[in-house]
Amino acid sequence: MRAALLEGIQKIKMTQIPKPTVGKGDVLVRVVACGICRTDMKAYQIGQRDLHLPRVLGHEISGIVEETGSEVTSVQPGDRVQIAPGLPCGTCDYCRKGMDNLCDHVEIMGFHYDGGFAEYVLVPENGVRHGVLNKIPESLTFYEAALTEPLACSVNMQESVQILSGDVVVIFGGGPLGILNAKLARIRGASSIILVEKRAARIEAAEKEFDHCINLMEENAVERIRTLTAGKGADAAIPCCPDPQAVADSLAVLGKKGRFGFFSGLVMGEDAPHIDWNLIHYKELAVYGAYGCSSNHNRTALELLSSGMVRVSDMTTRILPFEELVQGIEMVARRDDTNLIIDLTI
Ligand SMILES: [Zn+2]
Ligand SMILES: [Zn+2]
């Protein structure tokens, strides 16, 4: 089968590898769409803690069930499915509490196991058993379904940050994760969404949907947000970009009792932002972290997409053929496009 094999740092080989054999509890999925995100880009450019080479990357996967093991009853060949990429152990304390993204022994498709940048992907038995395969309704395209995983990560963040009705929410970064977080904050009842971004094209797209878009190249976000909130500051701030300044600015733009969502990890080896830690003390800020998503977050995200509560059909999406995967990863690095999806059928 066709596969994009990461053999070393910045070395992807477009090649043929054997089609996986299906064990009793496994499910083989014919990949239709797989999103490229910054996690793939970082894995390609600098490696990743959980990455075992050689490996097929790609964890934002949707496709059609091709073959099921003899013991599988949850799905059948022909089902349209989306895959939650985390394979939890199911027995540790975190798994038992439903926080399987924090599982002590979690394995991730696209890191520990081969992912979606290939013609077929094997969902191992422990994933099938823990419900990582989710059927997608006819109303949802495979491209839209591929956004389930990034939306699920945003659901995880906002369950912690607890966006409430009437909140003023600041999102830093107008890439796919910034837009998904902003859309989600809207349906959770935020009264005002302020998006901070540097790129004019992204601002132009976001202006149609959100209350205020601030171009960092033209104005000072902290001052503008202070003006927009009549000096009070925002209720919640979530940086959805790796810019260290966004972390420092988030703390600065929050009002008293504001909630900070640490969503985007900082790039390893880069300078830590200069943070005025006393802002947390004086304003009594709350700081929440979020990493990945649980299978429950994934199911919630898929419901939000399926019901039309969160619409992603209007997100700027570029569909690339499989052969252009490496160019796609480079586009993600340059932040050229809002949302990039590899279509394995073209
Ligand atoms: Zn991702
Ligand atoms: Zn576990």
Side-chain angles (χ1 to χ4, degrees):
M1 65 172 185
R2 290 187 300 164
L5 204 58
L6 182 70
E7 294 183 319
I9 300 301
Q10 298 194 31
K11 244 183 91 188
I12 282 184
K13 190 170 164 195
M14 307 304 272
T15 185
Q16 292 280 335
I17 61 171
K19 190 171 158 185
T21 45
V22 183
K24 281 186 285 191
D26 304 336
V27 171
L28 187 69
V29 173
R30 181 158 60 83
V31 181
V32 176
C34 189
I36 313 175
C37 79
R38 291 190 67 79
T39 306
D40 301 307
M41 185 271 288
K42 280 194 261 176
Y44 169 74
Q45 287 194 333
I46 54 174
Q48 210 267 2
R49 187 186 63 181
D50 298 323
L51 186 64
H52 305 262
L53 299 177
R55 181 62 69 223
V56 175
L57 299 173
H59 55 274
E60 301 177 0
I61 313 164
S62 62
I64 300 167
V65 173
E66 175 81 7
E67 191 183 334
T68 57
S70 57
E71 290 177 356
V72 175
T73 54
S74 53
V75 290
Q76 52 189 30
D79 282 348
R80 305 165 87 244
V81 290
Q82 174 269 339
I83 303 170
L87 310 172
C89 77
T91 55
C92 73
D93 281 355
Y94 298 101
C95 280
R96 280 207 291 257
K97 288 176 188 155
M99 306 178 214
D100 48 74
N101 58 310
L102 297 176
C103 169
D104 287 332
H105 314 287
V106 72
E107 295 181 307
I108 300 168
M109 298 186 60
F111 289 105
H112 300 86
Y113 292 89
D114 282 344
F117 296 137
E119 216 171 333
Y120 296 95
V121 62
L122 187 77
V123 181
E125 182 266 337
N126 61 327
V128 176
R129 194 157 27 93
H130 290 113
V132 305
L133 279 163
N134 298 288
K135 289 184 201 172
I136 53 180
E138 289 293 331
S139 59
L140 218 56
T141 67
F142 287 106
Y143 301 147
E144 290 165 339
L147 280 163
T148 306
E149 191 269 345
L151 179 61
C153 296
S154 316
V155 170
N156 181 20
M157 179 77 266
Q158 295 197 19
E159 279 187 1
S160 296
V161 164
Q162 280 293 323
I163 304 293
L164 304 170
S165 175
D167 275 350
V168 175
V169 179
V170 181
I171 305 285
F172 288 86
L177 268 312
I179 298 298
L180 289 172
N181 264 288
K183 284 174 182 280
L184 190 60
R186 174 71 84 217
I187 63 156
R188 289 184 70 104
S191 66
S192 180
I193 292 167
I194 304 170
L195 194 90
V196 183
E197 169 59 56
K198 284 179 187 163
R199 287 162 193 77
R202 285 183 170 182
I203 289 170
E204 207 178 301
E207 262 169 351
K208 299 180 193 105
E209 190 171 357
F210 305 112
D211 304 277
H212 304 281
C213 293
I214 299 175
N215 186 339
L216 264 184
M217 305 306 280
E218 291 168 4
E219 49 189 338
N220 180 310
V222 178
E223 280 172 18
R224 175 82 192 284
I225 292 165
R226 215 165 271 154
T227 309
L228 286 171
T229 58
K232 192 171 154 277
D235 299 295
I238 306 175
C240 301
C241 59
D243 183 357
Q245 190 58 39
V247 176
D249 285 353
S250 289
L251 299 183
V253 302
L254 284 169
K256 291 172 190 170
K257 288 283 183 192
R259 286 105 61 202
F260 169 59
F262 202 162
F263 184 69
S264 283
L266 298 169
V267 179
M268 273 187 295
E270 270 191 12
D271 284 347
H274 174 75
I275 287 174
D276 182 356
W277 296 101
N278 273 334
L279 290 174
I280 299 175
H281 171 59
Y282 289 122
K283 294 198 280 188
E284 298 193 2
L285 303 180
V287 176
Y288 299 93
Y291 175 62
C293 56
S294 70
S295 39
N296 280 332
H297 296 132
N298 190 93
R299 269 188 290 278
T300 303
L302 190 55
E303 276 164 27
L304 290 168
L305 292 173
S306 304
S307 65
M309 292 270 281
V310 174
R311 286 191 194 282
V312 291
S313 53
D314 58 349
M315 281 175 67
T316 315
T317 298
R318 170 115 46 126
I319 310 298
L320 294 174
F322 178 61
E323 279 65 32
E324 289 176 29
L325 172 66
V326 173
Q327 289 96 311
I329 293 174
E330 281 158 6
M331 285 158 91
V332 171
R334 290 194 303 267
R335 300 193 225 175
D336 281 357
D337 260 83
T338 295
N339 184 31
L340 282 166
I341 289 176
I342 293 292
D343 185 329
L344 269 296
T345 67
I346 54 175

